[in-house]
Amino acid sequence: MSSTTPILNGLRGRCGACGQGRLFSAYLKLNEACPHCGRDMRAADTADGPAFFVGFGVLILTAPFLFLIPMSPLAPLMKAAAIVFLALVITGLSMWLLPVAKGILLNLQLHHRSGEAEFERKDG
Ligand SMILES: [Zn+2]
């Protein structure tokens, strides 16, 4: 059974219309169309939205450790090891969340048929 909820399908990396086809042909590389239902994926462009949300989310979760580790009573070598470990966690978390955020934003854009803002001219 497949869900047609754009957000849930985006979490799974699946097409928001059918819930079956994969959104990505490779890491962050979108398919041009859904391999299952043929939905055109080129109509949406998430631009840097996923990176923005993932960057802020991961930063909010990990920033306290960037302050706590230097102030901790650990030996300097242990502090350096903790910072390196934290950098690996930040990188891994960001890499893991980027396709998820991109899938959600893409499915929401396609679902709501969003596009670039168009403003009417009032000169005539
Ligand atoms: Zn589909």
Side-chain angles (χ1 to χ4, degrees):
M1 181 177 154
S2 68
S3 169
T4 55
T5 306
I7 293 175
L8 292 178
N9 286 330
L11 282 171
R12 300 182 316 128
R14 301 293 175 169
C15 169
C18 67
Q20 298 295 316
R22 292 186 167 275
L23 289 174
F24 303 103
S25 60
Y27 182 75
L28 294 181
K29 184 174 186 331
L30 288 171
N31 286 322
E32 291 189 359
C34 173
H36 187 74
C37 70
R39 181 185 211 180
D40 186 12
M41 306 271 187
R42 294 171 299 178
D45 180 17
T46 58
D48 57 353
F52 174 81
F53 289 114
V54 168
F56 266 104
V58 170
L59 182 66
I60 288 170
L61 290 175
T62 56
F65 297 103
L66 292 171
F67 295 103
L68 292 175
I69 291 171
M71 293 188 303
S72 71
L74 294 171
L77 193 59
M78 289 301 293
K79 288 182 185 179
I83 291 290
V84 168
F85 177 74
L86 186 62
L88 291 174
V89 168
I90 290 170
T91 303
L93 205 54
S94 298
M95 298 287 284
W96 177 59
L97 288 174
L98 269 174
V100 173
K102 188 167 183 165
I104 292 171
L105 290 178
L106 183 90
N107 278 344
L108 286 174
Q109 281 184 341
L110 291 172
H111 180 75
H112 295 289
R113 296 180 181 90
S114 64
E116 288 188 29
E118 294 178 9
F119 301 100
E120 291 181 38
R121 290 183 158 220
K122 295 187 177 187
D123 58 351

